Amino acid sequence: MQETVKLIVGDQTIELPVIVGTEGERAIDITKLRDQTGMITYDPSLGNTGVCRSEITFIDGEKGILRYRGIPIEQFADHPNFVEVAWMLIFGRLPKPDELARFSSLLTANELLHEGLKHQFDHIPPDAPPMAILSATLNNLSFYHEQFLSPQDEESFELAAARLISKVRTIAAFSYRRSLGLPFIYPDPNLRYCANFLHMMFSIPFQQYIVTPEIEDALNLVFVLHADHEQNCSTSTVRTVGSARANLFASCAAGVCALWGPLHGGANVEVIDMLERIHQGGMSPEDCIRAAKDKSNPFRLFGFGHRVYKNYDPRAKLLKASCDKVLAKLRRQDPLLDIARKLEEAALNDPYFVERKLYPNVDFYSGILLRAMGIPTNMFTVCFAIGRLPGWIAQWREQHVDASTRILRPRQVYTGPAESPYVPMEDR
Ligand code: CMC
C-alpha cells in the first residue's frame, strides 16, 4: 500500500505520497503541494530536498557508505580503472571486455584538440587560472563539435562522452604547459588514460616521462574516487543548466565553474595552502583549529565537514591509505602528510568537531597524493574535474532520458518592499 503523510493546513488536511528508495530512504512527494494548498516549501540550501530520482550513486552519510551503481567504492580500490568506472556510471552496468575496448579506442581517437581550439591557448595569459581555462575550453568544444545529440541514441552518446572525457585531459595538460611556457606534448595513443595524462603534463620533447605502475594506479584511484557523488553542488549545476536543454559541453563547463569554489572542489587547494602555512611556521595546528572554531573568522578547517557525510568520508580513508603506500614506494616523506595526520587527530578529539560530526572529506588527503605525483597545487581542482566528468555526463544523460524532466526552476519567498509607486527623478 502506498505510504502517505498527512499535512494539516488550517482546516484542510492533505495526504502526500511517500517515495521509498532502494535503500529505504523515504521522501515526501510534494509535487502537488502548491496546487493543493497554495504554499511552497522553504529549504534555502536544499539540505532536505531531493530534486530527482537517480540510479547512479548511493551515499549513506551516517554510515560513511558510497556506492557507484550499487558497487561499494572500496571494491574499485585494489585495481582502480577510471575508464571502466566512467563507462559504468554513464551506461549503468560494468562494461563487457569488448565494450571497454571500444570505449578505450574512442578515447584514443578523440584525444587531440581541433587546431583552432589549440590556437586559442596562444591568447590565454600564462598565469590564467587553470579552472577558468578548463571551463572556457570545454564550452568552446561546441565551436567544433556537434552540440545537439540524442541521449537516447547510445552510440552517439558514447561518442560524445568519449570526446569529453578524452579531451578534458588534453585541455588540462595543455593549460599546465601553457602556464610554464613549455611546448604542448601530444597524446600518445599507446598509453592508457592516466599514463597519457601524465605524459602530456610532464614529458619534454627530448625526454619521455615514464610513469610507474604505483603512480598510474594512484591517479586512477584519485579519478575513480571523484567520479560521482550524486547531487553535489557542481552536479546540481550541470543538471540545472542541462534542464534548460543546454548542450552537454555547456552544462559540464558550468559544472567546472561550480567545482572551482573553495567550499567544493577548490577545497583541495585550500587544504595544501593550510598545511603549507603550518609547515612554514605561519600558523600552528592549534591556531588552525582555533580559527576554524571562531565564528567571527570566515576560516574553515578545509578538507573537513560535509553536507551529507556525518561520518568518515570513505574516499578520504582510501586516499589516506594510498598516500602512505605511494610515499613509501617512492621512498619519499612529505612533511605535509604528518601535519595532516596530526591535524586530523586534533580535530577528531575536539568537542567542536565531534559534536558537529565533522570528519575528513575527500579533499583532505587528495592533494598530498597529487603532490607525490608531481602535480602542482593549481592543477588539483582540475584533476578533481577530470575525475568528476563521467559523473556529470551520467547525470546529464539520466536527466535527459527521463521523459518527466522539467526545467529546474525553484521558487522563493519574496521579502522585498510591498507594491510602491515609481517616483519621478525630480521628486526623489
Ligand atoms: N571547519 C569549521 N567548522 C565547520 C566546518 C569546517 N570545515 N565545516 C562545517 N563546520 C561547522 C559550521 O560552521 C556549522 O557550525 P554551526 O552549527 O555552529 O553553525 C556546522 O559545522 C555545520 O556545518 P554547515 O555549514 O551547516 O555545513 P554545510 O553542509 O553547509 O557545508 C561544507 C558543508 C563542506 C561546505 C563545510 O563542511 C565546509 O565548509 N568544509 C570546508 C570546505 C571543504 O572541505 N569542502 C569540501 C567538501 S567535500 C568535496 C566536495 O564536495 O567538493
Side-chain angles (χ1 to χ4, degrees):
M1 205 177 84
Q2 166 78 63
E3 186 189 358
T4 56
V5 294
K6 285 197 174 72
L7 179 70
I8 302 169
V9 186
D11 52 10
Q12 185 191 9
T13 300
I14 61 162
E15 277 196 71
L16 298 165
V18 172
I19 297 172
V20 185
T22 312
E23 299 293 333
E25 208 169 24
R26 289 151 81 229
I28 305 169
D29 178 352
I30 57 152
T31 43
K32 299 263 184 310
L33 180 72
R34 191 166 175 277
D35 279 351
Q36 292 178 349
T37 66
M39 292 170 98
I40 59 169
T41 55
Y42 180 65
D43 187 19
S45 53
L46 304 179
N48 304 286
T49 298
V51 291
C52 60
R53 301 183 197 216
S54 179
E55 298 178 359
I56 302 171
T57 290
F58 171 72
I59 303 175
D60 183 329
E62 272 66 38
K63 295 191 184 136
I65 291 174
L66 170 61
R67 296 183 200 139
Y68 293 158
R69 300 283 185 187
I71 304 173
I73 194 79
E74 292 77 11
Q75 293 185 18
F76 296 105
D78 283 344
H79 304 288
N81 181 339
F82 177 60
V83 173
E84 179 187 52
V85 168
W87 196 93
M88 179 192 73
L89 286 170
I90 298 168
F91 296 107
R93 58 177 171 79
L94 285 166
K96 298 198 176 94
D98 60 317
E99 290 168 330
L100 186 58
R102 192 186 59 228
F103 193 53
S104 297
S105 314
L106 278 177
L107 291 173
T108 305
N110 281 283
E111 56 197 9
L112 280 177
L113 301 185
H114 188 284
E115 281 295 294
L117 199 59
K118 202 192 84 187
H119 289 312
Q120 288 183 24
F121 282 86
D122 298 341
H123 307 288
I124 295 174
D127 56 353
M131 286 297 272
I133 303 175
L134 186 65
S135 166
T137 316
L138 282 185
N139 207 11
N140 291 353
L141 287 175
S142 355
F143 293 176
Y144 302 101
H145 304 284
E146 189 190 14
Q147 296 175 42
F148 300 104
L149 45 98
S150 159
Q152 280 85 359
D153 173 357
E154 196 160 305
E155 211 171 296
S156 77
F157 196 81
E158 189 177 30
L159 172 62
R163 190 170 272 156
L164 259 174
I165 293 171
S166 187
K167 291 189 194 307
V168 72
R169 149 193 78 156
T170 313
I171 295 167
F174 278 20
S175 63
Y176 169 67
R177 307 289 296 195
R178 166 84 187 134
S179 71
L180 295 184
L182 290 171
F184 296 145
I185 297 290
Y186 282 84
D188 178 345
N190 298 311
L191 294 176
R192 286 186 294 263
Y193 189 89
C194 290
N196 212 348
F197 173 58
L198 293 168
H199 157 68
M200 284 190 277
M201 290 278 289
F202 300 129
S203 286
I204 37 181
F206 48 87
Q207 195 174 16
Q208 171 114 3
Y209 170 90
I210 306 293
V211 64
T212 62
E214 293 77 28
I215 295 290
E216 194 178 358
D217 268 3
L219 189 56
N220 264 296
L221 180 70
V222 169
F223 288 160
V224 164
L225 294 181
H226 287 86
D228 193 52
H229 213 234
E230 48 119 307
Q231 308 312 315
N232 58 83
C233 178
S234 54
T235 303
S236 305
T237 303
V238 170
R239 276 190 180 254
T240 302
V241 176
S243 78
R245 304 213 181 140
N247 72 60
L248 184 63
F249 305 129
S251 305
C252 291
V256 172
C257 294
L259 189 72
W260 191 358
L263 294 188
H264 192 11
N268 56 15
V269 173
E270 303 291 333
V271 170
I272 293 294
D273 286 351
M274 180 177 79
L275 298 177
E276 287 274 19
R277 269 173 72 193
I278 297 175
H279 180 52
Q280 285 159 13
M283 150 164 109
S284 68
E286 294 73 31
D287 290 339
C288 191
I289 300 271
R290 210 173 302 120
K293 295 187 323 188
D294 177 0
K295 293 291 173 199
S296 63
N297 188 337
F299 180 82
R300 291 203 153 189
L301 184 59
F302 286 99
F304 255 75
H306 199 275
R307 172 63 58 81
V308 180
Y309 291 119
K310 302 300 164 201
N311 201 328
Y312 213 110
D313 181 335
R315 303 168 299 174
K317 223 178 261 177
L318 294 167
L319 288 169
K320 186 181 181 186
S322 181
C323 283
D324 287 332
K325 199 166 122 190
V326 167
L327 288 170
K329 197 80 197 173
L330 298 176
R331 294 176 197 281
R332 218 187 282 162
Q333 278 200 324
D334 187 342
L336 299 198
L337 180 57
D338 293 333
I339 296 172
R341 281 208 204 92
K342 285 191 190 119
L343 205 52
E344 176 189 332
E345 197 187 327
L348 294 183
N349 286 304
D350 188 299
Y352 174 96
F353 292 89
V354 174
E355 279 157 22
R356 289 170 179 75
K357 299 188 178 158
L358 303 172
Y359 292 87
N361 61 47
V362 68
D363 293 316
F364 199 65
Y365 287 104
S366 61
I368 295 172
L369 198 50
L370 292 170
R371 259 163 72 94
M373 297 173 202
I375 293 176
T377 314
N378 69 349
M379 291 294 291
F380 287 1
T381 317
V382 170
C383 288
F384 192 151
I386 298 174
R388 183 54 54 88
L389 194 59
W392 290 338
I393 296 170
Q395 301 268 352
W396 190 96
R397 179 167 189 255
E398 184 176 69
Q399 173 186 44
H400 282 73
V401 294
D402 178 356
S404 68
T405 294
R406 296 167 73 201
I407 191 165
L408 244 143
R409 203 308 187 183
R411 290 188 176 259
Q412 63 166 17
V413 178
Y414 175 71
T415 57
E419 184 177 351
S420 39
Y422 174 80
V423 182
M425 188 68 86
E426 58 278 17
D427 297 338
R428 283 179 216 163

PDB file of all heavy atoms in Angstrom, residues 215-227:
ATOM      1  N   ILE A 215      52.197   5.017  -9.520  1.00  0.00           N
ATOM      2  CA  ILE A 215      51.653   6.358  -9.783  1.00  0.00           C
ATOM      3  C   ILE A 215      50.421   6.244 -10.688  1.00  0.00           C
ATOM      4  O   ILE A 215      49.407   6.924 -10.473  1.00  0.00           O
ATOM      5  CB  ILE A 215      52.735   7.267 -10.431  1.00  0.00           C
ATOM      6  CG1 ILE A 215      53.887   7.508  -9.446  1.00  0.00           C
ATOM      7  CG2 ILE A 215      52.153   8.575 -10.922  1.00  0.00           C
ATOM      8  CD1 ILE A 215      53.576   8.387  -8.269  1.00  0.00           C
ATOM      9  N   GLU A 216      50.498   5.368 -11.668  1.00  0.00           N
ATOM     10  CA  GLU A 216      49.354   5.203 -12.581  1.00  0.00           C
ATOM     11  C   GLU A 216      48.128   4.720 -11.793  1.00  0.00           C
ATOM     12  O   GLU A 216      47.015   5.225 -11.975  1.00  0.00           O
ATOM     13  CB  GLU A 216      49.710   4.213 -13.689  1.00  0.00           C
ATOM     14  CG  GLU A 216      48.710   4.249 -14.840  1.00  0.00           C
ATOM     15  CD  GLU A 216      49.063   3.301 -15.977  1.00  0.00           C
ATOM     16  OE1 GLU A 216      50.119   2.624 -15.921  1.00  0.00           O
ATOM     17  OE2 GLU A 216      48.262   3.228 -16.928  1.00  0.00           O
ATOM     18  N   ASP A 217      48.353   3.776 -10.892  1.00  0.00           N
ATOM     19  CA  ASP A 217      47.254   3.262 -10.059  1.00  0.00           C
ATOM     20  C   ASP A 217      46.702   4.360  -9.157  1.00  0.00           C
ATOM     21  O   ASP A 217      45.484   4.496  -8.982  1.00  0.00           O
ATOM     22  CB  ASP A 217      47.766   2.141  -9.136  1.00  0.00           C
ATOM     23  CG  ASP A 217      47.609   0.788  -9.781  1.00  0.00           C
ATOM     24  OD1 ASP A 217      47.159   0.743 -10.933  1.00  0.00           O
ATOM     25  OD2 ASP A 217      47.943  -0.219  -9.123  1.00  0.00           O
ATOM     26  N   ALA A 218      47.632   5.141  -8.575  1.00  0.00           N
ATOM     27  CA  ALA A 218      47.193   6.185  -7.636  1.00  0.00           C
ATOM     28  C   ALA A 218      46.352   7.237  -8.364  1.00  0.00           C
ATOM     29  O   ALA A 218      45.333   7.695  -7.840  1.00  0.00           O
ATOM     30  CB  ALA A 218      48.397   6.830  -6.964  1.00  0.00           C
ATOM     31  N   LEU A 219      46.752   7.583  -9.592  1.00  0.00           N
ATOM     32  CA  LEU A 219      45.965   8.589 -10.325  1.00  0.00           C
ATOM     33  C   LEU A 219      44.604   8.000 -10.726  1.00  0.00           C
ATOM     34  O   LEU A 219      43.569   8.667 -10.643  1.00  0.00           O
ATOM     35  CB  LEU A 219      46.726   9.095 -11.555  1.00  0.00           C
ATOM     36  CG  LEU A 219      46.091  10.290 -12.259  1.00  0.00           C
ATOM     37  CD1 LEU A 219      45.874  11.472 -11.309  1.00  0.00           C
ATOM     38  CD2 LEU A 219      46.917  10.752 -13.457  1.00  0.00           C
ATOM     39  N   ASN A 220      44.609   6.732 -11.117  1.00  0.00           N
ATOM     40  CA  ASN A 220      43.331   6.066 -11.402  1.00  0.00           C
ATOM     41  C   ASN A 220      42.434   6.112 -10.171  1.00  0.00           C
ATOM     42  O   ASN A 220      41.235   6.377 -10.269  1.00  0.00           O
ATOM     43  CB  ASN A 220      43.574   4.606 -11.796  1.00  0.00           C
ATOM     44  CG  ASN A 220      43.626   4.416 -13.292  1.00  0.00           C
ATOM     45  OD1 ASN A 220      42.640   4.638 -13.990  1.00  0.00           O
ATOM     46  ND2 ASN A 220      44.781   4.045 -13.804  1.00  0.00           N
ATOM     47  N   LEU A 221      43.047   5.866  -9.010  1.00  0.00           N
ATOM     48  CA  LEU A 221      42.255   5.860  -7.770  1.00  0.00           C
ATOM     49  C   LEU A 221      41.675   7.256  -7.508  1.00  0.00           C
ATOM     50  O   LEU A 221      40.485   7.396  -7.180  1.00  0.00           O
ATOM     51  CB  LEU A 221      43.129   5.418  -6.586  1.00  0.00           C
ATOM     52  CG  LEU A 221      42.393   5.374  -5.250  1.00  0.00           C
ATOM     53  CD1 LEU A 221      41.376   4.225  -5.220  1.00  0.00           C
ATOM     54  CD2 LEU A 221      43.369   5.214  -4.067  1.00  0.00           C
ATOM     55  N   VAL A 222      42.520   8.280  -7.663  1.00  0.00           N
ATOM     56  CA  VAL A 222      42.031   9.657  -7.435  1.00  0.00           C
ATOM     57  C   VAL A 222      40.832   9.927  -8.353  1.00  0.00           C
ATOM     58  O   VAL A 222      39.785  10.394  -7.916  1.00  0.00           O
ATOM     59  CB  VAL A 222      43.161  10.696  -7.686  1.00  0.00           C
ATOM     60  CG1 VAL A 222      42.601  12.116  -7.723  1.00  0.00           C
ATOM     61  CG2 VAL A 222      44.240  10.579  -6.615  1.00  0.00           C
ATOM     62  N   PHE A 223      40.978   9.601  -9.627  1.00  0.00           N
ATOM     63  CA  PHE A 223      39.887   9.879 -10.573  1.00  0.00           C
ATOM     64  C   PHE A 223      38.636   9.041 -10.230  1.00  0.00           C
ATOM     65  O   PHE A 223      37.520   9.542 -10.254  1.00  0.00           O
ATOM     66  CB  PHE A 223      40.325   9.594 -12.013  1.00  0.00           C
ATOM     67  CG  PHE A 223      41.304  10.602 -12.585  1.00  0.00           C
ATOM     68  CD1 PHE A 223      42.099  10.287 -13.674  1.00  0.00           C
ATOM     69  CD2 PHE A 223      41.423  11.880 -12.046  1.00  0.00           C
ATOM     70  CE1 PHE A 223      42.998  11.208 -14.223  1.00  0.00           C
ATOM     71  CE2 PHE A 223      42.314  12.813 -12.578  1.00  0.00           C
ATOM     72  CZ  PHE A 223      43.097  12.464 -13.673  1.00  0.00           C
ATOM     73  N   VAL A 224      38.855   7.762  -9.904  1.00  0.00           N
ATOM     74  CA  VAL A 224      37.715   6.890  -9.589  1.00  0.00           C
ATOM     75  C   VAL A 224      36.962   7.434  -8.370  1.00  0.00           C
ATOM     76  O   VAL A 224      35.729   7.510  -8.363  1.00  0.00           O
ATOM     77  CB  VAL A 224      38.184   5.434  -9.335  1.00  0.00           C
ATOM     78  CG1 VAL A 224      37.102   4.618  -8.634  1.00  0.00           C
ATOM     79  CG2 VAL A 224      38.581   4.765 -10.646  1.00  0.00           C
ATOM     80  N   LEU A 225      37.713   7.856  -7.354  1.00  0.00           N
ATOM     81  CA  LEU A 225      37.045   8.306  -6.122  1.00  0.00           C
ATOM     82  C   LEU A 225      36.333   9.646  -6.294  1.00  0.00           C
ATOM     83  O   LEU A 225      35.516  10.019  -5.463  1.00  0.00           O
ATOM     84  CB  LEU A 225      38.060   8.390  -4.975  1.00  0.00           C
ATOM     85  CG  LEU A 225      38.663   7.052  -4.534  1.00  0.00           C
ATOM     86  CD1 LEU A 225      39.639   7.254  -3.389  1.00  0.00           C
ATOM     87  CD2 LEU A 225      37.579   6.059  -4.125  1.00  0.00           C
ATOM     88  N   HIS A 226      36.672  10.360  -7.347  1.00  0.00           N
ATOM     89  CA  HIS A 226      35.989  11.638  -7.596  1.00  0.00           C
ATOM     90  C   HIS A 226      34.880  11.498  -8.643  1.00  0.00           C
ATOM     91  O   HIS A 226      34.194  12.472  -8.940  1.00  0.00           O
ATOM     92  CB  HIS A 226      36.994  12.695  -8.080  1.00  0.00           C
ATOM     93  CG  HIS A 226      37.903  13.195  -6.993  1.00  0.00           C
ATOM     94  ND1 HIS A 226      39.061  12.571  -6.645  1.00  0.00           N
ATOM     95  CD2 HIS A 226      37.813  14.266  -6.171  1.00  0.00           C
ATOM     96  CE1 HIS A 226      39.659  13.236  -5.665  1.00  0.00           C
ATOM     97  NE2 HIS A 226      38.912  14.264  -5.345  1.00  0.00           N
ATOM     98  N   ALA A 227      34.706  10.300  -9.197  1.00  0.00           N
ATOM     99  CA  ALA A 227      33.913  10.163 -10.427  1.00  0.00           C
ATOM    100  C   ALA A 227      32.435  10.547 -10.310  1.00  0.00           C
ATOM    101  O   ALA A 227      31.846  11.013 -11.274  1.00  0.00           O
ATOM    102  CB  ALA A 227      34.045   8.751 -10.979  1.00  0.00           C
TER     103      ALA A 227
END
